[in-house]
Amino acid sequence: MALKIWLNTGLVDEADAKISVFDHGLLYGDGVFEGIRVYNGKVFELEAHIRRLFESARVIRLPIAMPKEELIAAVETTVKANGIEDGYVRLVVTRGIGTLGLNPFVCTDSCLIIIASTIQLYPEELYEKGMRIISATTVRNHPLALPPQVKSLNYLNNILAKIEALDSKAPEAIMYNHEGYVAEATGDNVFLVKNGVVYTPPVEAGSLEGITRAVVIQLARQEGLQIIENNLTRYDLYVCDELFLTGTAAEVIGVVEIDGRIIGEGKPGPITRLLRERFYAYARGKES
Ligand code: PMP
């Protein structure tokens, strides 16, 4: 069924949702975006996503032509117009129409796109068995080159690592920063468990400040688990008891093998399963 797409000021038919070939989002990956889940008709953590979008936009000096409250309403309108009960929202702000030069300031009107659709999830079996991943050789962008907190349209760094994963028949890859510390996976944050303590790299190591990451940290604390944000090495991943990834699409997913090393018992461990269950219930509004 054809979707209704929000384009700048209102909804249009999918066939009419077109942007210019001179949009700097296309020419230079100049723009920001968010990926957001809808559970039971409710947009999950919408305010946190809008906050992150505005912060990303502020860093790259991209004006968003709508105040936060209006943007929240526009997302909700788009979700309703498409009858999405459980799905995914892609919110994109591009720099807009400019010339063939780099100068972003000739683009006077940024372009706002909201797509509300269904989502292709990892199969349930992967959650039960856990996934096999690899370490990417592609180094994560240096944080002084592009702050990792900025969720920009420029994903080539992650795509190069994703290609390495797919070449190895793995769905994900761990990216390390210029110092060799774990940054994140190509589209997810990374956690490990060692001796009952949960560890995750600090954002400064080169990861996006994941909304799922923040919720999982909060749920883990509610469970009385100790969470430590610390630089982690490849060695730490090889010798941990449990390893899992978090992200809007994946939620919480266990990793059972990395670079040919089996993690723990070779299946998702008890803390991974607990946090997956707690997140699953929290996101679907089954507990507070
Ligand atoms: N890191 C990267 C590079 C991502 O693109 C994402 C989102 N897919 C994440 C981490 C996870 O962030 P969130 O939980 O906000 O989806």
Side-chain angles (χ1 to χ4, degrees):
M1 203 188 71
L3 296 174
K4 292 277 185 198
I5 310 289
W6 187 285
L7 188 60
N8 295 320
T9 52
L11 291 167
V12 297
D13 287 335
E14 186 180 322
D16 300 323
K18 293 182 178 148
I19 64 160
S20 165
V21 294
F22 290 100
D23 192 304
H24 278 205
L26 174 68
L27 291 176
Y28 296 115
D30 186 354
V32 295
F33 78 102
E34 285 294 321
I36 316 172
R37 285 288 282 277
V38 183
Y39 296 106
N40 302 328
K42 194 168 176 297
V43 188
F44 185 61
E45 295 286 300
L46 182 52
E47 279 179 23
H49 280 285
I50 297 289
R51 200 178 316 125
R52 186 169 69 182
L53 183 83
F54 273 80
E55 287 180 358
S56 291
R58 170 187 285 262
V59 173
I60 69 163
R61 296 182 58 186
L62 171 66
I64 298 180
M66 208 183 252
K68 280 184 188 157
E69 308 70 51
E70 269 180 48
L71 189 49
I72 286 173
V75 169
E76 283 166 346
T77 301
T78 310
V79 168
K80 280 211 181 66
N82 289 285
I84 301 292
E85 278 292 306
D86 288 285
Y88 181 85
V89 175
R90 177 57 62 91
L91 177 49
V92 185
V93 185
T94 73
R95 185 73 70 175
I97 298 172
T99 62
L100 290 178
L102 272 184
N103 185 352
F105 301 130
V106 298
C107 312
T108 48
D109 298 308
S110 64
C111 174
L112 169 67
I113 301 161
I114 309 172
I115 307 167
S117 187
T118 49
I119 180 174
Q120 178 67 45
L121 299 170
Y122 284 134
E124 187 54 37
E125 201 195 356
L126 204 57
Y127 288 94
E128 279 151 27
K129 291 193 174 160
M131 62 160 88
R132 183 183 73 80
I133 63 171
I134 60 148
S135 291
T137 62
T138 302
V139 171
R140 182 82 182 108
N141 279 337
H142 194 294
L144 295 181
L146 182 61
Q149 296 96 326
V150 174
K151 196 164 168 60
S152 86
L153 290 180
N154 216 306
Y155 255 54
L156 269 182
N157 184 218
N158 307 55
I159 288 167
L160 289 178
K162 180 86 174 181
I163 287 172
E164 291 186 57
L166 297 173
D167 278 348
S168 303
K169 309 262 182 296
E172 258 295 1
I174 299 287
M175 300 182 76
Y176 299 84
N177 67 19
H178 57 287
E179 293 178 307
Y181 292 116
V182 176
E184 61 181 343
T186 68
D188 294 308
N189 290 110
V190 180
F191 287 77
L192 67 78
V193 181
K194 182 79 174 169
N195 299 327
V197 178
V198 183
Y199 297 85
T200 192
V203 175
E204 308 85 72
S207 66
L208 182 73
E209 211 163 350
I211 307 282
T212 319
R213 175 185 184 272
V215 171
V216 166
I217 288 174
Q218 180 194 319
L219 293 174
R221 292 211 168 110
Q222 278 172 18
E223 290 297 320
L225 291 162
Q226 192 188 356
I227 294 253
I228 299 178
E229 290 185 48
N230 224 355
N231 272 330
L232 302 171
T233 63
R234 185 182 299 222
Y235 174 85
D236 296 322
L237 303 187
Y238 289 170
V239 302
C240 67
D241 302 326
E242 299 183 37
L243 186 58
F244 61 91
L245 308 179
T246 67
T248 290
E251 300 185 340
V252 176
I253 188 156
V255 173
V256 292
E257 186 182 329
I258 175 166
D259 303 337
R261 279 81 169 173
I262 303 294
I263 309 289
E265 308 282 304
K267 51 183 205 276
I271 292 178
T272 304
R273 278 186 280 123
L274 172 73
L275 292 175
R276 161 139 189 85
E277 275 161 31
R278 292 282 283 111
F279 184 86
Y280 190 97
Y282 177 78
R284 287 157 182 83
K286 291 186 183 131
E287 55 189 280
S288 59

